[in-house]
Structure formats: C-alpha cells, structure tokens
Amino acid sequence: MKKFYTYLLCLVIYSILFFQVVYYGIWYFWDWSFPIFKEDIWNFFAITESSWFSLTDMWQPLSYVSDYIFRFIIASIAYYSWLQPEFFLYLFIVFLFSSGSYFLFNTFKKDNTKSDIITFLLSLVIFINPLIFYKLLWGHINYLFSYFIFIIIVLLLYKKKDSLYSFREYSLFAILFALCWTQIQFFIFAYILFIVFTFSNSKIKVSQKIFFLLFLWITAYLIHSFWLNNFLFKVISF
C-alpha cells in the first residue's frame, strides 16, 4: 500500500507541473516534433514510413529512422483514441516521469542512509532538470521516452549487479536495449553500461558475459532489421 501512495504522489506532482500543457497549450517552436492537430497524428509515423523513393527498382529511405517503432506505436494509440494531441502528450509525459521517479525511489530508498524524503526529491530531480525541460520544451518526445528506458536499464543493472541473469532477464534487457534505439545516443550509453556492469559481475563466467553482450546485439538487430538492413546492405549510407 505504501508503494501505491508513493506512485500516486508522483502522479499528482507531475500532473500539476505539466498541467499547462493542457490548460495553456503547447509551446510551438520551429523544430517541434509532435503533431499539433488531431488530423495530423498519424503523420507522426507516416512522415517516416512514407519517406522512401524508388532507386533502380529498390527502395531507399530518405531519413534516419531509428525511432520507427516508437513512432508507429504512439501514432497508432493516439490516432485511434479520442484524445487530442495536447492531452495525449500530457498523459504520456505524466505517466513516463511518474513511473521513472517511482522506480528510482523504490530502488534506492533501502540502500540510502539519508531520509526517504531526500531520496524521493532526488528521484524527481532526475526527471525535472534543465536538460529534460529543454527537450520537453522542444517536443522531443522520442528523446524523453528513450531517456526513461535508459533509466530503467540503469536501475535493473544496479539491482542485479552481483547476481546471475536468468533467461527472462536476458530477454528483458534485450528488449529494453532495442527500445533505447529510439534515440541513438542512449543505445550507445546503455551498451557501455551493459559492458561495465557485466564484466564487473564476478558471479558470471567470461563466456556467459560475452554471450550476454552478443545476445543483446542480435536481439536488438532482429527487432530493428526491417529498417537497419537498408543501411547494412548499402541501400543507403549514414
């Protein structure tokens, strides 16, 4: 029950902080990346999905599409819902930030000698800071999502830092790693963390460490292969 109230408190705090998204409207800057009108919500995906042209009977993408899956999921949910883009964005941000802060607090409150209040405030700072505010202000929703996934990976690695990984955890880490590709820098940061935590874990054999790191790459590649193969097979270059 205590965990429920902690999460509820996070929801209340972020709901109040970001209420202006609904009440005052979204700030529209030149590189705003989220749809403004309900009629354009599918374009959040279709702009990427349709950006292909024929080249000697092959198809070549016009733009970088590592957030292809994320755009498809968000556009599908928002397009077929009754929510206006502003309200959908508001709920998405509140849920993302509340979940992230809750997981942070719940992970470190037992290990931290300071009071739970300080730990809770620090968990809020991770999601309320100048960098995140800048990305929110510019509507970089894919960055915020990838940042959230990155934080979850950090927390899971911390909790399993001295333990063996089960196949379920292998799969969970691989899926989260693939989702991190929504923003390319976080996938690089995440893989560096996987290497550091894996090789610092004395309970895992060297062969298992190598297998785990390869498993992450192979699974993420298979998930993203439908767009990534175009680059790998020289249909288009970075």
Side-chain angles (χ1 to χ4, degrees):
M1 186 60 69
K2 185 178 181 181
K3 292 183 178 180
F4 169 77
Y5 287 121
T6 302
Y7 188 69
L8 185 62
L9 179 59
C10 290
L11 286 173
V12 171
I13 291 174
Y14 286 115
S15 296
I16 295 173
L17 283 176
F18 300 126
F19 183 72
Q20 59 180 339
V21 172
V22 174
Y23 189 77
Y24 294 107
I26 302 174
W27 316 277
Y28 302 123
F29 291 93
W30 67 273
D31 62 346
W32 180 265
S33 60
F34 199 79
I36 299 174
F37 303 108
K38 178 70 174 179
E39 295 76 14
D40 297 327
I41 197 72
W42 185 249
N43 289 336
F44 185 63
F45 167 69
I47 287 173
T48 297
E49 187 273 336
S50 300
S51 59
W52 297 70
F53 67 92
S54 179
L55 181 65
T56 63
D57 297 326
M58 299 179 69
W59 289 99
Q60 179 174 359
L62 293 174
S63 61
Y64 180 70
V65 288
S66 69
D67 59 351
Y68 195 102
I69 296 175
F70 172 76
R71 286 176 177 268
F72 175 75
I73 294 174
I74 294 299
S76 297
I77 296 173
Y79 184 78
Y80 292 105
S81 71
W82 55 270
L83 297 174
Q84 292 298 315
E86 290 183 357
F87 196 68
F88 177 86
L89 182 62
Y90 170 70
L91 293 179
F92 183 78
I93 292 172
V94 169
F95 170 75
L96 215 63
F97 285 22
S98 298
S99 300
S101 292
Y102 168 75
F103 289 140
L104 276 163
F105 173 74
N106 195 49
T107 300
F108 292 108
K109 68 184 179 73
K110 294 180 180 178
D111 301 330
N112 201 323
T113 57
K114 299 180 180 180
S115 67
D116 284 352
I117 295 178
I118 295 178
T119 306
F120 181 75
L121 292 176
L122 289 175
S123 70
L124 295 178
V125 170
I126 298 297
F127 286 92
I128 307 175
N129 57 70
L131 174 62
I132 298 303
F133 179 74
Y134 167 82
K135 291 299 182 180
L136 178 64
L137 197 65
W138 254 243
H140 296 168
I141 197 70
N142 53 348
Y143 182 98
L144 298 176
F145 173 77
S146 194
Y147 178 76
F148 166 77
I149 297 297
F150 176 74
I151 295 297
I152 299 303
I153 290 175
V154 173
L155 297 178
L156 290 176
L157 284 173
Y158 174 79
K159 293 177 71 173
K160 300 293 295 184
K161 62 181 184 296
D162 295 317
S163 305
L164 293 172
Y165 299 155
S166 65
F167 179 76
R168 178 182 178 183
E169 288 161 343
Y170 270 50
S171 302
L172 177 60
F173 278 131
I175 293 172
L176 290 173
F177 180 57
L179 291 175
C180 247
W181 286 33
T182 301
Q183 195 71 24
I184 203 68
Q185 63 264 42
F186 285 116
F187 119 77
I188 296 174
F189 297 154
Y191 198 68
I192 292 174
L193 281 178
F194 278 123
I195 294 174
V196 172
F197 275 89
T198 301
F199 278 95
S200 63
N201 192 335
S202 59
K203 293 188 177 181
I204 303 178
K205 297 179 181 179
V206 175
S207 58
Q208 291 176 320
K209 295 175 181 179
I210 296 174
F211 175 79
F212 172 65
L213 294 173
L214 288 175
F215 180 81
L216 292 176
W217 269 106
I218 293 172
T219 305
Y221 163 72
L222 291 175
I223 291 174
H224 291 279
S225 59
F226 62 90
W227 68 265
L228 190 58
N229 283 344
N230 294 289
F231 298 101
L232 296 179
F233 295 111
K234 308 299 184 181
V235 177
I236 191 173
S237 62
F238 285 103

